[in-house]
Amino acid sequence: MNAIIISIGNELTSGQTIDSNSAYLSEQLGSLGIETLSHVTVGDDRAATARAIIAAAGEAQLVLVTGGLGPTADDLTRHALADAMGGVELVQDAASLAELEDFFRRRGRSMVDANRIQAMFPAGSRPIANACGTAAGIAARVGGATVYVMPGVPSEMRRMFAERIAPELPSGRVAIVRRTLCTFGAGESDVGARIDDLMARGANPLVGTTVDAGLISIRVASRAATPDEAARQADATIAEIARRLGDLVVGQGEHAMSAAVGMELRRRGQSLATAESCTGGLIGGMITDVAGASDYYLGGVVSYANSVKRDLLAVGQDILAANGAVSEPVARAMAEGCRRRFGADWAVSATGIAGPSGGSNDMEKPVGLVYIGLCGPGCEEVHRHVLPGDRSGIRTRAALTALNHLRLGLRMRLRTRC
Amino acid sequence: MNAIIISIGNELTSGQTIDSNSAYLSEQLGSLGIETLSHVTVGDDRAATARAIIAAAGEAQLVLVTGGLGPTADDLTRHALADAMGGVELVQDAASLAELEDFFRRRGRSMVDANRIQAMFPAGSRPIANACGTAAGIAARVGGATVYVMPGVPSEMRRMFAERIAPELPSGRVAIVRRTLCTFGAGESDVGARIDDLMARGANPLVGTTVDAGLISIRVASRAATPDEAARQADATIAEIARRLGDLVVGQGEHAMSAAVGMELRRRGQSLATAESCTGGLIGGMITDVAGASDYYLGGVVSYANSVKRDLLAVGQDILAANGAVSEPVARAMAEGCRRRFGADWAVSATGIAGPSGGSNDMEKPVGLVYIGLCGPGCEEVHRHVLPGDRSGIRTRAALTALNHLRLGLRMRLRTRC
């Protein structure tokens, strides 16, 4: 089975509200084995809504519509649905009207006339009760498709879908299981080249990549007759990708980078401290995104001013004067000073130019230049990067790059004191 | 002029990613007086993308497409555009290829063959340079419509639209100007109750609110015949809202909280340091989101372990032992110790329980409990909060709450040393 999702509302087409309903419904449908072909958003416009419903019903077997069921003049979805059903009339549903009146009575309010429209439904359709609001949903047939209309308020929509609509849907003959593997340290094209054969169009599992601040997510969607079989296929593909990409693979799930660093530290019973300049605290922030980080993370110094690099991290004034704050020797001294100050097994440092200004004209020190220092048992490294993006992108990438060097350092080094 | 926006990606139709690009572009188009008729989202499917482009070009004068310009096998938008243009060939653009090679050379990496596709464009189209990535955009004509294709990475898309595409668009007959005022420190319903009369449906300017991690954004959209008139109306409404909400108003624009704190510090020529426990660096990270923060921000200590609170912030072991790390005395001592250690005019501290575990059973110290310490000229405060949300929400709210107390402390205190 396949589906098209339609969202209605001027607040969506004007960009004042981001549509989260369609993504929610797509995910829910996917778990039922129903593939979403497309999302369509139109404004509070009767003709445009009717056209969108008719077009969707011609293309998909299931059409889910959200929004435009309110009591005010710009709520036109029930009229548009009636148009799409071939121009049927709206007729009052006595049970829905009683429920509406009851809804207001329970809240000690009297129902205004405007709400009566919420008990009117296209002839031949079926009302769907709303457990937490006045906007009942509607089930109907348009052409060969089943159409469900739900309120646009996310909480009402989600409850109606879960309790009233999902149970009516045929559980697809196909189960879909999704996995996402997170990689860092190579370009999207490098990653793509190594798994090119797995990314063929129409393949099963279907493999795709997306990139955000240097983190490349490899998404795997597996289809099979049963959830178990789909999961088995997905895991086999994930394992094959992981085998090919080796150390580029950070892990799965949210906060994959911080979780990977934490797992390696916990496994070794080692501790970590951070020394941050251009990242201003983002590295510490990422590390502590993961619950239980206090098992290995001692803390850090944000040494934004040079005086702090000197006083708290013992970076020599001569090193600062000779090389500038954004330099290999300073990154090294920050990491070393931090490790010593905190008595940590590992320390990682970042110093760079986040921009938009502060870069040198000769491109020797451009905006985006970042040095990452790493210091740990048997390990002393400094890495130079010129990172792309705006201030925010450079800072996020710098923090992720620091954590990635730490992750690789942890994986490669033996447990010996340096 | 009117427009249709098309987003491409399986991560969107599967619901794994929420599409924020379309809302951004709609808002930008609105400010140019261009109405968005609809948003359409399709998966990484060449035929479906081509059909969507052709259908949109038949309905709207302007078609904006995002996504599918990457170097991997699932990036098919350039092929789909060529199909929509009547089946033209992809041809190599020498200048784009040179830019791509330069992009990799500047980063000290060699370009892999897969990236060459990013220098290929449908015959008769025009490349649009990408200032911060490898995916150049494309401008083309399909039927009577102008089509622009942009990368799906939001930061790259936004910059390309603002710098390269918006300047090419005709401005419409109705100007729409939007402003967003950011408030903090009261609930959405409290804020709404004070500006209820301004939020009438269909009003001009149209006023709406959205909330994220305790930051309430009040959105004002003003329509008028000219941009100047629309801006004048919007500013008058913003001024009225600001008058009613007083100190709840943080400011306008991105990073409003950090910018407000920075402005107050800069105005006074005073400096700031941070002492963070549960926030792990997020406060420092937010402060340094704003370019030029080095004018007032010296740095901070992330004192995740108690030993760090003791050794770097001089929090007495007796205070820690008697009260626990999450307590009013510790928050106070962290701020005081931080201020002294950094020689800063102001110091702000945060210590709390971000969860999901770590709260006490008797609810004396529940998950979400956060103490904010503030210390500055004529100022010594500790504030207790129990913040809602999951770990991530509590941490973000805690950091914003700390900055908000600092903002209010700065606004209320005279310039006297305590």
Side-chain angles (χ1 to χ4, degrees):
Chain A
M1 195 175 205
N2 54 33
I4 289 177
I5 300 169
I6 302 174
S7 312
I8 318 285
N10 283 347
E11 77 280 12
L12 302 173
T13 51
S14 71
Q16 290 187 287
T17 300
I18 291 173
D19 172 32
S20 62
N21 284 347
S22 299
Y24 171 83
L25 289 170
S26 283
E27 202 150 36
Q28 294 295 310
L29 291 176
S31 72
L32 296 168
I34 299 170
E35 186 191 7
T36 301
L37 300 177
S38 63
H39 301 166
V40 176
T41 304
V42 296
D44 297 312
D45 181 299
R46 179 168 170 170
T49 303
R51 277 200 308 274
I53 293 173
I54 292 167
E59 202 182 333
Q61 297 154 281
L62 175 67
V63 178
L64 300 181
V65 183
T66 64
L69 289 180
T72 54
D74 59 348
D75 292 303
L76 298 164
T77 303
R78 72 186 69 246
H79 303 86
L81 177 61
D83 297 345
M85 290 170 72
V88 302
E89 298 288 303
L90 293 181
V91 294
Q92 192 173 73
D93 179 69
S96 298
L97 186 62
E99 268 174 40
L100 263 178
E101 285 166 343
D102 190 49
F103 181 95
F104 284 96
R105 195 166 33 239
R106 283 200 311 274
R107 280 158 188 77
R109 290 159 52 193
S110 60
M111 193 175 96
V112 298
D113 268 354
N115 284 103
R116 289 183 177 275
I117 188 68
Q118 297 187 299
M120 305 283 287
F121 301 90
S125 73
R126 173 167 54 87
I128 304 173
N130 183 335
C132 46
T134 61
I138 314 174
R141 296 286 297 177
V142 174
T146 303
V147 179
Y148 290 98
V149 181
M150 292 168 275
V153 178
S155 58
E156 297 181 22
M157 181 280 290
R158 289 178 184 214
R159 186 155 173 195
M160 185 179 290
F161 182 79
E163 294 181 2
R164 303 277 173 170
I165 296 173
E168 295 187 2
L169 297 176
S171 64
R173 282 161 307 167
V174 175
I176 304 181
V177 166
R178 293 176 200 281
R179 300 271 190 272
T180 301
L181 197 65
C182 185
T183 75
F184 193 87
E188 192 178 9
S189 49
D190 291 346
V191 169
R194 301 204 207 175
I195 57 171
D196 201 31
D197 55 311
L198 303 175
M199 292 177 70
R201 197 181 146 205
N204 182 33
L206 191 62
V207 177
T209 61
T210 48
V211 63
D212 182 25
L215 269 172
I216 296 163
S217 295
I218 303 174
R219 292 169 292 97
V220 173
S222 166
R223 307 158 64 89
T226 67
D228 283 356
E229 176 58 15
R232 200 195 56 73
Q233 285 177 8
D235 291 336
T237 300
I238 286 284
E240 172 62 17
I241 294 170
R243 191 188 64 74
R244 294 196 197 175
L245 297 179
D247 269 345
L248 292 175
V249 173
V250 174
Q252 293 189 48
E254 218 190 5
H255 309 311
M257 183 68 83
S258 303
V261 164
M263 190 186 69
E264 296 289 344
L265 286 166
R266 186 176 276 124
R267 191 153 75 181
R268 287 166 177 73
Q270 293 180 333
S271 63
L272 170 68
T274 51
E276 306 190 50
S277 188
C278 60
T279 49
L282 294 182
I283 301 175
M286 285 183 187
I287 292 167
T288 56
D289 275 336
V290 178
S294 56
D295 291 349
Y296 44 82
Y297 183 54
L298 301 177
V301 167
V302 180
S303 56
Y304 220 59
N306 279 348
S307 61
V308 178
K309 294 183 184 73
R310 213 175 45 217
D311 298 346
L312 272 83
L313 295 175
V315 178
Q317 180 60 44
D318 50 334
I319 298 179
L320 282 162
N323 305 282
V326 180
S327 63
E328 192 193 308
V330 168
R332 182 187 310 275
M334 284 172 66
E336 283 174 0
C338 177
R339 187 176 181 224
R340 220 173 304 119
R341 165 68 82 170
F342 285 81
D345 296 306
W346 291 86
V348 64
S349 70
T351 178
I353 303 166
S357 61
S360 66
N361 288 331
D362 57 4
M363 291 306 285
E364 196 199 322
K365 294 193 176 184
V367 168
L369 175 65
V370 176
Y371 289 94
I372 305 296
L374 180 63
C375 183
C379 170
E380 198 185 300
E381 305 171 357
V382 181
H383 300 269
R384 180 184 192 272
H385 295 269
V386 180
L387 302 173
D390 59 6
R391 179 178 177 87
S392 165
I394 289 169
R395 280 158 44 86
T396 303
R397 272 188 159 86
L400 286 169
T401 301
L403 289 176
N404 196 47
H405 283 303
L406 172 60
R407 179 181 71 87
L408 295 173
L410 277 160
R411 291 185 68 156
M412 289 187 294
R413 261 72 192 194
L414 294 173
R415 200 167 168 173
T416 51
R417 284 266 164 190
C418 66
Chain B
M1 194 176 206
N2 55 32
I4 289 177
I5 300 169
I6 302 174
S7 312
I8 317 286
N10 283 348
E11 75 280 12
L12 303 173
T13 51
S14 70
Q16 291 182 289
T17 301
I18 291 174
D19 171 32
S20 62
N21 284 347
S22 298
Y24 171 84
L25 288 170
S26 283
E27 199 151 35
Q28 295 294 310
L29 291 176
S31 71
L32 296 169
I34 299 170
E35 185 190 7
T36 300
L37 301 177
S38 64
H39 301 166
V40 177
T41 304
V42 295
D44 295 312
D45 181 302
R46 180 168 170 171
T49 303
R51 278 201 306 272
I53 293 172
I54 291 167
E59 203 183 332
Q61 298 153 281
L62 175 66
V63 179
L64 300 182
V65 184
T66 62
L69 289 180
T72 53
D74 61 344
D75 293 302
L76 298 164
T77 303
R78 72 186 68 244
H79 304 86
L81 176 61
D83 296 345
M85 290 170 73
V88 302
E89 297 288 302
L90 294 181
V91 293
Q92 191 172 74
D93 180 68
S96 299
L97 186 63
E99 268 174 41
L100 265 178
E101 285 166 344
D102 191 50
F103 181 94
F104 284 95
R105 193 165 34 239
R106 284 201 309 275
R107 279 155 188 84
R109 290 162 50 193
S110 60
M111 192 175 99
V112 298
D113 268 353
N115 283 104
R116 289 182 178 275
I117 188 69
Q118 296 187 301
M120 304 284 286
F121 302 91
S125 73
R126 173 167 54 87
I128 305 172
N130 182 335
C132 45
T134 61
I138 315 175
R141 297 286 296 176
V142 173
T146 303
V147 179
Y148 290 98
V149 182
M150 291 168 275
V153 177
S155 58
E156 296 181 23
M157 181 279 290
R158 290 179 182 213
R159 185 153 174 197
M160 185 179 291
F161 182 79
E163 295 181 1
R164 302 278 172 170
I165 296 174
E168 295 186 1
L169 298 176
S171 55
R173 283 164 309 169
V174 174
I176 305 181
V177 167
R178 295 175 201 279
R179 299 270 191 271
T180 300
L181 198 65
C182 185
T183 76
F184 194 86
E188 191 176 12
S189 50
D190 291 347
V191 168
R194 301 204 207 175
I195 57 171
D196 201 31
D197 56 311
L198 302 175
M199 291 178 68
R201 216 168 169 146
N204 183 30
L206 191 63
V207 178
T209 61
T210 47
V211 64
D212 182 25
L215 270 173
I216 295 163
S217 295
I218 303 175
R219 292 170 290 99
V220 173
S222 168
R223 303 163 65 91
T226 67
D228 283 356
E229 176 59 14
R232 199 195 57 70
Q233 286 176 9
D235 290 337
T237 300
I238 285 284
E240 173 61 18
I241 295 169
R243 191 187 66 73
R244 296 194 197 177
L245 296 180
D247 267 345
L248 292 176
V249 173
V250 175
Q252 293 188 47
E254 217 190 4
H255 309 312
M257 184 68 84
S258 303
V261 164
M263 191 186 68
E264 296 290 344
L265 286 166
R266 186 176 275 123
R267 191 152 75 183
R268 288 165 178 74
Q270 293 180 333
S271 63
L272 170 67
T274 50
E276 305 189 51
S277 188
C278 61
T279 48
L282 294 181
I283 301 176
M286 285 182 187
I287 291 167
T288 55
D289 275 336
V290 178
S294 55
D295 292 349
Y296 44 83
Y297 183 55
L298 301 178
V301 167
V302 179
S303 56
Y304 219 59
N306 279 349
S307 60
V308 178
K309 296 184 183 72
R310 212 174 49 215
D311 298 345
L312 273 82
L313 296 174
V315 178
Q317 179 60 41
D318 51 334
I319 298 179
L320 281 162
N323 305 282
V326 180
S327 63
E328 191 194 308
V330 168
R332 182 186 311 276
M334 283 171 67
E336 283 174 359
C338 178
R339 187 176 181 224
R340 220 173 305 120
R341 165 68 81 168
F342 284 82
D345 296 305
W346 292 85
V348 65
S349 71
T351 177
I353 303 165
S357 61
S360 66
N361 287 331
D362 57 5
M363 292 308 283
E364 197 198 320
K365 293 192 176 183
V367 168
L369 175 65
V370 175
Y371 289 94
I372 305 295
L374 181 62
C375 183
C379 170
E380 197 185 302
E381 305 170 357
V382 180
H383 300 270
R384 180 184 192 275
H385 295 268
V386 180
L387 302 173
D390 59 6
R391 180 179 177 87
S392 165
I394 289 169
R395 280 158 44 86
T396 303
R397 271 188 160 86
L400 286 167
T401 301
L403 289 175
N404 196 48
H405 283 302
L406 173 61
R407 179 180 71 86
L408 294 173
L410 278 159
R411 292 186 68 156
M412 289 187 293
R413 262 70 191 197
L414 294 174
R415 199 168 168 170
T416 51
R417 282 267 163 188
C418 66

